[in-house]
Amino acid sequence: MGHRDEHFWTRGSADKSNVLVEQLKQYGVIKTKKVAEVMEIIDRGLFVPDGNSAYIDSPMPIGYNATISAPHMHGTCLELLKEHLQPGMHALDVGSGTGYLTACFAMMVGPQGRAVGVEHIPELVASSIENVKRSAAASLLNGGSLSLHVADGRQGWPEQAPYDAIHVGAAAAEIPQPLLDQLKAGGRMVIPVGSFFQDLQVVDKKLDGSISIRSETSVRYVPLTSREAQLQGF
């Protein structure tokens, strides 16, 4: 292992992002140029507490009993949502944590679109705004097409609804009704559902308003819960 890995850690963060994306392409997680580009442009190292470990394909604790998902989960969710993250579209990131995925959404929907992150831990929202300010998405935050809010994500964010894309970064026992209501006809939500055993569910709202749901893969996420429940024991 030694020498090549040591060389890797001395590289700049842009190189490390590119290496990570190449690995995810080889694994078959990243399938499209669009997703590869956004994961290269938004540097994960700016969003995690410990810069270097950012480029390892595993989840990391970010404090307050929360985590940032592993890069392969971000890649999977971006691939599942990419057709619903076209320029001008509206996207909602529930449990936005570090702000990383919200920033990716913002880059994809662009200045004419809207990317909204909601997170119920105020300290995480404050640090996520600082993270975004250091990233390639800073101008979108300043321009107002990207916003991060302290709110109970189970209620969504009605002000910018309906959403073409909704991503939920914590597992719900069942899909919250407000999120279904805020999903646009023709839109897609990706949400982990279950308690101990969880499935990443892909929820499509058809143009007639009917809902179809399929399971993409088995996952393990922190629970989508109240702020009080999440902070117990922290």
Side-chain angles (χ1 to χ4, degrees), residues 46-149:
L46 300 173
F47 289 83
V48 303
D50 172 5
N52 268 344
S53 327
Y55 308 101
I56 295 167
D57 190 20
S58 84
M60 293 181 64
I62 57 171
Y64 309 97
N65 289 330
T67 59
I68 180 171
S69 293
H72 75 267
M73 282 312 310
H74 284 150
T76 296
C77 291
L78 287 167
E79 284 287 353
L80 288 169
L81 289 169
K82 65 181 181 290
E83 299 306 325
H84 307 273
L85 293 167
Q86 315 248 22
M89 291 185 172
H90 285 210
L92 175 65
D93 186 18
V94 173
S96 49
T98 64
Y100 172 82
L101 202 60
T102 324
C104 290
F105 289 172
M107 295 299 287
M108 292 173 86
V109 301
Q112 304 307 312
R114 284 303 308 244
V116 176
V118 291
E119 166 60 56
H120 60 186
I121 306 290
E123 294 86 348
L124 287 179
V125 175
S127 63
S128 71
I129 289 168
E130 294 309 309
N131 295 343
V132 170
K133 284 179 181 171
R134 294 194 295 268
S135 79
S139 64
L140 299 169
L141 182 71
N142 296 336
S145 61
L146 164 56
S147 59
L148 295 148
H149 307 273

